[in-house]
Amino acid sequence: MLDSKLVRTQLQDVAARLATRGYQLDVARIEALEAQRKTVQTRTEQLQAERNARSKSIGQAKQRGEDIAPLLADVDRMGSELESGKQELDRIQSELDQLMLSIPNLPHESVPVGADEDENIEVRRWGTPKTFDFAVQDHVALGEQHGWLDFETAAKLSGARFALMRGPIARLHRALAQFMIDLHTRDHGYEEAYTPYLVQAPALQGTGQLPKFEEDLFKISREGEADFYLIPTAEVSLTNIVAGEILDAKQLPLKFVAHTPCFRSEAGASGRDTRGMIRQHQFDKVEMVQIVEPSKSFEALEELTGNAEKVLQLLQLPYRVLSLCTGDMGFGATKTYDLEVWVPSQDKYREISSCSNCGDFQARRMQARYRNPETGKPELVHTLNGSGLAVGRTLVAVLENYQQADGSVVVPEVLKPYMGGIDIIG
């Protein structure tokens, strides 16, 4: 969430910066609510001062033997007005808070201005897409030929947008996740975490999924108890480790990594990528999260993005890095790099990782702070997250980029230790 003081004092500037994201800030409503809040607050403070003065005069009048009934009635009346004023202030503040929760993060000045994905800026490419001398098959055909990738049975079990993996492909999927975790913990300095897959609403509000994106979540209602939500990404559980905490500066940076299933209703993706594993309700992801001092967050973004790139480089998968424009960034990000891997059957690059610096946007929602060693005062940390990588999409890329003419798939060199001696699938 944005700094409310910044919104109040620089409302027009904030609105202009948000407009580059395609978000129209309701300036008139915020101004009206702020005017109401100031009026009610001023009146409430005046009433409180008057009530205090009258209360004091009651004792003095009593000592003089005067009738204090009118004074008592006046104090009671002021008390009722004060209570009414406090309720009105709470109502106004609640509406302001809800407005603030719905406002996306401000784009960093280095983010290219643009309306949509067509205006993202390519930063770099790595590797050269392979030229095949046979008809390329997509991952669905490659996986289904031996019954190792089964969408029909998955649909029987759960409906559309699910996959059942068996045999060598299930093992390859697991090998990819283990390889990623090992790389990030061994070479990149992340601490592995195993997190709950079910979280409550405050955790999702902390990272920005609630209240705005509730329709994209799978919710489990419980009578008499707080609702559960299935995590859309381990970003939620990992980032909220520091919710409500005041960290020692010596603890930073904190770097967490977790392999979890992710659950998304894909409410806004109707009809998109209906074939195969690109867009599903349940998928696995290795997620990286960093909690850092504010001055280090953009340096950390470059590092985190590089950590995700290393996975693709070791797998020898061609990819490109995009700097997302203002109109294509996620709700909580102030700057984002997307990694897109080459998918031969589609003859194009497809997103496989999104690496974002959220600044203090999530930290303010979570009240996640550290004690600044120079001032001794608590200050908001900065949070970052990125896929390192989406396991299912990486499986898609491996199957398609490593396919052979007979439909078999060569196991990438770095995965062979995880495959028990299997060199070729199929």
Side-chain angles (χ1 to χ4, degrees):
M1 119 194 298
L2 298 182
D3 182 354
S4 59
K5 182 179 179 181
L6 176 69
V7 174
R8 284 197 307 271
T9 59
Q10 300 181 38
L11 185 57
Q12 294 300 330
D13 179 58
V14 168
R17 292 173 67 185
L18 290 171
T20 68
R21 298 190 59 139
Y23 181 86
Q24 297 304 312
L25 185 63
D26 193 344
V27 172
R29 185 60 186 153
I30 292 175
E31 287 179 333
L33 285 168
E34 281 295 340
Q36 290 175 33
R37 185 183 64 80
K38 288 177 182 177
T39 299
V40 175
Q41 187 169 332
T42 299
R43 176 57 181 156
T44 300
E45 289 171 353
Q46 289 173 345
L47 273 170
Q48 185 65 59
E50 288 178 25
R51 188 169 185 250
N52 290 343
R54 293 293 172 87
S55 296
K56 187 177 180 180
S57 65
I58 287 174
Q60 296 170 343
K62 195 173 184 180
Q63 287 179 346
R64 293 193 297 268
E66 297 174 1
D67 182 8
I68 60 172
L71 291 173
L72 288 171
D74 211 18
V75 167
D76 286 344
R77 175 187 59 78
M78 289 184 195
S80 297
E81 288 185 30
L82 267 175
E83 183 59 33
S84 177
K86 288 176 181 177
Q87 290 177 3
E88 180 67 3
L89 272 178
D90 288 343
R91 183 196 65 77
I92 294 168
Q93 191 59 54
S94 177
E95 187 170 346
L96 280 167
D97 289 345
Q98 288 304 306
L99 269 172
M100 292 297 294
L101 286 172
S102 71
I103 299 171
N105 203 353
L106 295 175
H108 188 258
E109 59 188 15
S110 64
V111 174
V113 175
D116 53 37
E117 62 183 17
D118 293 332
E119 297 183 74
N120 294 335
I121 302 297
E122 185 174 311
V123 178
R124 57 185 171 272
R125 292 191 182 198
W126 186 94
T128 303
K130 181 180 176 182
T131 301
F132 295 88
D133 57 4
F134 54 86
V136 170
Q137 298 187 73
D138 70 4
H139 68 283
V140 178
L142 291 165
E144 286 183 338
Q145 62 183 335
H146 297 292
W148 294 332
L149 187 55
D150 187 347
F151 296 98
E152 186 176 337
T153 302
K156 179 179 71 175
L157 296 171
S158 305
R161 295 191 187 273
F162 290 91
L164 172 66
M165 288 176 276
R166 298 168 59 182
I169 283 184
R171 184 166 189 167
L172 183 60
H173 184 266
R174 175 165 55 89
L176 282 164
Q178 188 62 59
F179 159 66
M180 294 174 195
I181 287 286
D182 285 351
L183 174 67
H184 295 316
T185 54
R186 182 189 63 230
D187 295 353
H188 298 154
Y190 290 82
E191 177 187 350
E192 183 176 0
Y194 175 83
T195 77
Y197 302 160
L198 294 168
V199 295
Q200 296 179 5
L204 289 153
Q205 180 175 295
T207 45
Q209 284 80 12
L210 287 179
K212 187 173 177 61
F213 301 106
E214 182 155 10
E215 66 173 4
D216 291 323
L217 302 169
F218 285 108
K219 180 179 179 179
I220 301 172
S221 297
R222 300 190 298 163
E223 187 174 350
E225 294 187 74
D227 294 335
F228 276 144
Y229 293 83
L230 287 161
I231 58 169
T233 164
E235 170 201 341
V236 176
S237 38
L238 290 175
T239 309
N240 274 279
I241 289 173
V242 298
E245 300 290 329
I246 300 178
L247 304 168
D248 191 302
K250 293 177 182 177
Q251 294 176 262
L252 302 178
L254 289 172
K255 298 167 67 173
F256 300 120
V257 65
H259 165 219
T260 69
C262 305
F263 305 90
R264 299 184 188 178
S265 73
E266 297 290 356
S270 178
R272 295 175 59 193
D273 295 310
T274 54
R275 179 175 169 82
M277 296 181 65
I278 295 293
R279 194 178 299 276
Q280 297 197 295
H281 290 314
Q282 175 185 317
F283 59 95
D284 278 37
K285 191 146 68 86
V286 171
E287 183 75 3
M288 303 176 292
V289 161
Q290 292 199 26
I291 314 295
V292 303
E293 292 181 35
S295 64
K296 305 287 181 62
S297 65
F298 285 96
E299 176 185 335
L301 176 61
E302 301 299 325
E303 177 193 78
L304 184 140
T305 305
N307 297 156
E309 288 183 71
K310 191 64 177 179
V311 178
L312 293 170
Q313 291 170 9
L314 291 173
L315 289 169
Q316 293 287 304
L317 293 172
Y319 68 90
R320 65 176 183 171
V321 180
L322 302 177
S323 179
L324 297 195
C325 71
T326 51
D328 197 35
M329 283 199 307
F331 178 78
T334 187
K335 184 172 185 175
T336 297
Y337 291 118
D338 267 9
L339 274 58
E340 294 186 342
V341 69
W342 181 253
V343 179
S345 68
Q346 299 183 19
D347 196 34
K348 64 180 179 180
Y349 293 95
R350 295 299 306 266
E351 181 195 338
I352 197 168
S353 174
S354 192
C355 300
S356 297
N357 181 3
C358 296
D360 61 12
F361 187 82
Q362 293 177 328
R364 184 171 286 104
R365 298 166 81 105
M366 297 186 302
Q367 279 303 290
R369 296 169 290 173
Y370 80 108
R371 195 169 298 282
N372 187 318
E374 295 182 3
T375 65
K377 296 180 179 178
E379 295 181 14
L380 295 170
V381 296
H382 280 195
T383 63
L384 302 95
N385 63 79
S387 304
L389 304 163
V391 182
R393 292 194 180 194
T394 309
L395 178 65
V396 168
V398 167
L399 291 175
E400 295 201 11
N401 282 278
Y402 280 87
Q403 66 180 288
Q404 299 187 107
D406 63 357
S408 62
V409 176
V410 175
V411 174
E413 196 65 34
V414 292
L415 296 183
K416 288 180 180 179
Y418 300 92
M419 291 296 290
I422 299 174
D423 294 328
I424 296 178
I425 293 175

PDB file of all heavy atoms in Angstrom, residues 225-237:
ATOM      1  N   GLU A 225     -14.941 -20.133  11.955  1.00  0.00           N
ATOM      2  CA  GLU A 225     -13.494 -19.930  11.970  1.00  0.00           C
ATOM      3  C   GLU A 225     -13.082 -19.106  10.753  1.00  0.00           C
ATOM      4  O   GLU A 225     -13.845 -18.950   9.796  1.00  0.00           O
ATOM      5  CB  GLU A 225     -12.765 -21.280  11.942  1.00  0.00           C
ATOM      6  CG  GLU A 225     -12.977 -22.120  13.176  1.00  0.00           C
ATOM      7  CD  GLU A 225     -12.102 -23.360  13.154  1.00  0.00           C
ATOM      8  OE1 GLU A 225     -10.883 -23.231  13.377  1.00  0.00           O
ATOM      9  OE2 GLU A 225     -12.643 -24.451  12.899  1.00  0.00           O
ATOM     10  N   ALA A 226     -11.866 -18.581  10.789  1.00  0.00           N
ATOM     11  CA  ALA A 226     -11.363 -17.775   9.679  1.00  0.00           C
ATOM     12  C   ALA A 226     -11.265 -18.619   8.414  1.00  0.00           C
ATOM     13  O   ALA A 226     -10.897 -19.798   8.451  1.00  0.00           O
ATOM     14  CB  ALA A 226      -9.985 -17.200  10.025  1.00  0.00           C
ATOM     15  N   ASP A 227     -11.608 -18.012   7.279  1.00  0.00           N
ATOM     16  CA  ASP A 227     -11.515 -18.700   6.000  1.00  0.00           C
ATOM     17  C   ASP A 227     -10.064 -19.016   5.665  1.00  0.00           C
ATOM     18  O   ASP A 227      -9.140 -18.285   6.059  1.00  0.00           O
ATOM     19  CB  ASP A 227     -12.099 -17.833   4.877  1.00  0.00           C
ATOM     20  CG  ASP A 227     -13.593 -17.607   5.023  1.00  0.00           C
ATOM     21  OD1 ASP A 227     -14.259 -18.449   5.665  1.00  0.00           O
ATOM     22  OD2 ASP A 227     -14.086 -16.591   4.498  1.00  0.00           O
ATOM     23  N   PHE A 228      -9.853 -20.095   4.938  1.00  0.00           N
ATOM     24  CA  PHE A 228      -8.557 -20.437   4.385  1.00  0.00           C
ATOM     25  C   PHE A 228      -8.540 -20.107   2.897  1.00  0.00           C
ATOM     26  O   PHE A 228      -9.566 -20.152   2.214  1.00  0.00           O
ATOM     27  CB  PHE A 228      -8.271 -21.936   4.529  1.00  0.00           C
ATOM     28  CG  PHE A 228      -7.699 -22.343   5.852  1.00  0.00           C
ATOM     29  CD1 PHE A 228      -8.058 -23.560   6.427  1.00  0.00           C
ATOM     30  CD2 PHE A 228      -6.783 -21.543   6.516  1.00  0.00           C
ATOM     31  CE1 PHE A 228      -7.527 -23.968   7.634  1.00  0.00           C
ATOM     32  CE2 PHE A 228      -6.246 -21.941   7.740  1.00  0.00           C
ATOM     33  CZ  PHE A 228      -6.620 -23.150   8.299  1.00  0.00           C
ATOM     34  N   TYR A 229      -7.365 -19.793   2.387  1.00  0.00           N
ATOM     35  CA  TYR A 229      -7.148 -19.640   0.955  1.00  0.00           C
ATOM     36  C   TYR A 229      -5.949 -20.499   0.556  1.00  0.00           C
ATOM     37  O   TYR A 229      -4.946 -20.541   1.280  1.00  0.00           O
ATOM     38  CB  TYR A 229      -6.837 -18.185   0.591  1.00  0.00           C
ATOM     39  CG  TYR A 229      -7.973 -17.212   0.801  1.00  0.00           C
ATOM     40  CD1 TYR A 229      -8.218 -16.660   2.062  1.00  0.00           C
ATOM     41  CD2 TYR A 229      -8.795 -16.826  -0.258  1.00  0.00           C
ATOM     42  CE1 TYR A 229      -9.247 -15.756   2.256  1.00  0.00           C
ATOM     43  CE2 TYR A 229      -9.824 -15.915  -0.067  1.00  0.00           C
ATOM     44  CZ  TYR A 229     -10.045 -15.389   1.187  1.00  0.00           C
ATOM     45  OH  TYR A 229     -11.065 -14.487   1.375  1.00  0.00           O
ATOM     46  N   LEU A 230      -6.059 -21.189  -0.582  1.00  0.00           N
ATOM     47  CA  LEU A 230      -4.905 -21.901  -1.128  1.00  0.00           C
ATOM     48  C   LEU A 230      -3.939 -20.884  -1.714  1.00  0.00           C
ATOM     49  O   LEU A 230      -4.368 -19.945  -2.412  1.00  0.00           O
ATOM     50  CB  LEU A 230      -5.358 -22.880  -2.213  1.00  0.00           C
ATOM     51  CG  LEU A 230      -6.080 -24.134  -1.712  1.00  0.00           C
ATOM     52  CD1 LEU A 230      -6.871 -24.780  -2.841  1.00  0.00           C
ATOM     53  CD2 LEU A 230      -5.087 -25.119  -1.132  1.00  0.00           C
ATOM     54  N   ILE A 231      -2.659 -21.039  -1.443  1.00  0.00           N
ATOM     55  CA  ILE A 231      -1.694 -20.023  -1.887  1.00  0.00           C
ATOM     56  C   ILE A 231      -1.600 -19.980  -3.412  1.00  0.00           C
ATOM     57  O   ILE A 231      -1.526 -21.014  -4.069  1.00  0.00           O
ATOM     58  CB  ILE A 231      -0.292 -20.266  -1.279  1.00  0.00           C
ATOM     59  CG1 ILE A 231       0.254 -21.648  -1.648  1.00  0.00           C
ATOM     60  CG2 ILE A 231      -0.281 -20.041   0.207  1.00  0.00           C
ATOM     61  CD1 ILE A 231       1.729 -21.838  -1.306  1.00  0.00           C
ATOM     62  N   PRO A 232      -1.608 -18.774  -3.999  1.00  0.00           N
ATOM     63  CA  PRO A 232      -1.393 -18.634  -5.440  1.00  0.00           C
ATOM     64  C   PRO A 232       0.082 -18.713  -5.791  1.00  0.00           C
ATOM     65  O   PRO A 232       0.448 -18.898  -6.946  1.00  0.00           O
ATOM     66  CB  PRO A 232      -1.972 -17.254  -5.746  1.00  0.00           C
ATOM     67  CG  PRO A 232      -1.746 -16.477  -4.478  1.00  0.00           C
ATOM     68  CD  PRO A 232      -1.902 -17.471  -3.360  1.00  0.00           C
ATOM     69  N   THR A 233       0.949 -18.548  -4.792  1.00  0.00           N
ATOM     70  CA  THR A 233       2.400 -18.596  -4.932  1.00  0.00           C
ATOM     71  C   THR A 233       2.996 -18.582  -3.531  1.00  0.00           C
ATOM     72  O   THR A 233       2.390 -18.037  -2.596  1.00  0.00           O
ATOM     73  CB  THR A 233       2.943 -17.387  -5.730  1.00  0.00           C
ATOM     74  OG1 THR A 233       4.355 -17.268  -5.531  1.00  0.00           O
ATOM     75  CG2 THR A 233       2.284 -16.086  -5.300  1.00  0.00           C
ATOM     76  N   ALA A 234       4.186 -19.178  -3.386  1.00  0.00           N
ATOM     77  CA  ALA A 234       4.846 -19.173  -2.080  1.00  0.00           C
ATOM     78  C   ALA A 234       5.313 -17.780  -1.685  1.00  0.00           C
ATOM     79  O   ALA A 234       5.717 -17.574  -0.534  1.00  0.00           O
ATOM     80  CB  ALA A 234       6.037 -20.129  -2.087  1.00  0.00           C
ATOM     81  N   GLU A 235       5.247 -16.823  -2.598  1.00  0.00           N
ATOM     82  CA  GLU A 235       5.527 -15.422  -2.243  1.00  0.00           C
ATOM     83  C   GLU A 235       4.711 -15.006  -1.025  1.00  0.00           C
ATOM     84  O   GLU A 235       5.209 -14.296  -0.143  1.00  0.00           O
ATOM     85  CB  GLU A 235       5.182 -14.514  -3.427  1.00  0.00           C
ATOM     86  CG  GLU A 235       5.197 -13.034  -3.115  1.00  0.00           C
ATOM     87  CD  GLU A 235       4.383 -12.215  -4.115  1.00  0.00           C
ATOM     88  OE1 GLU A 235       4.099 -12.712  -5.223  1.00  0.00           O
ATOM     89  OE2 GLU A 235       4.039 -11.065  -3.787  1.00  0.00           O
ATOM     90  N   VAL A 236       3.457 -15.458  -0.966  1.00  0.00           N
ATOM     91  CA  VAL A 236       2.563 -15.061   0.122  1.00  0.00           C
ATOM     92  C   VAL A 236       3.098 -15.530   1.469  1.00  0.00           C
ATOM     93  O   VAL A 236       3.277 -14.750   2.407  1.00  0.00           O
ATOM     94  CB  VAL A 236       1.140 -15.609  -0.117  1.00  0.00           C
ATOM     95  CG1 VAL A 236       0.237 -15.271   1.072  1.00  0.00           C
ATOM     96  CG2 VAL A 236       0.557 -15.053  -1.408  1.00  0.00           C
ATOM     97  N   SER A 237       3.373 -16.824   1.580  1.00  0.00           N
ATOM     98  CA  SER A 237       3.809 -17.367   2.864  1.00  0.00           C
ATOM     99  C   SER A 237       5.240 -16.959   3.205  1.00  0.00           C
ATOM    100  O   SER A 237       5.551 -16.667   4.367  1.00  0.00           O
ATOM    101  CB  SER A 237       3.662 -18.891   2.880  1.00  0.00           C
ATOM    102  OG  SER A 237       3.998 -19.463   1.638  1.00  0.00           O
TER     103      SER A 237
END
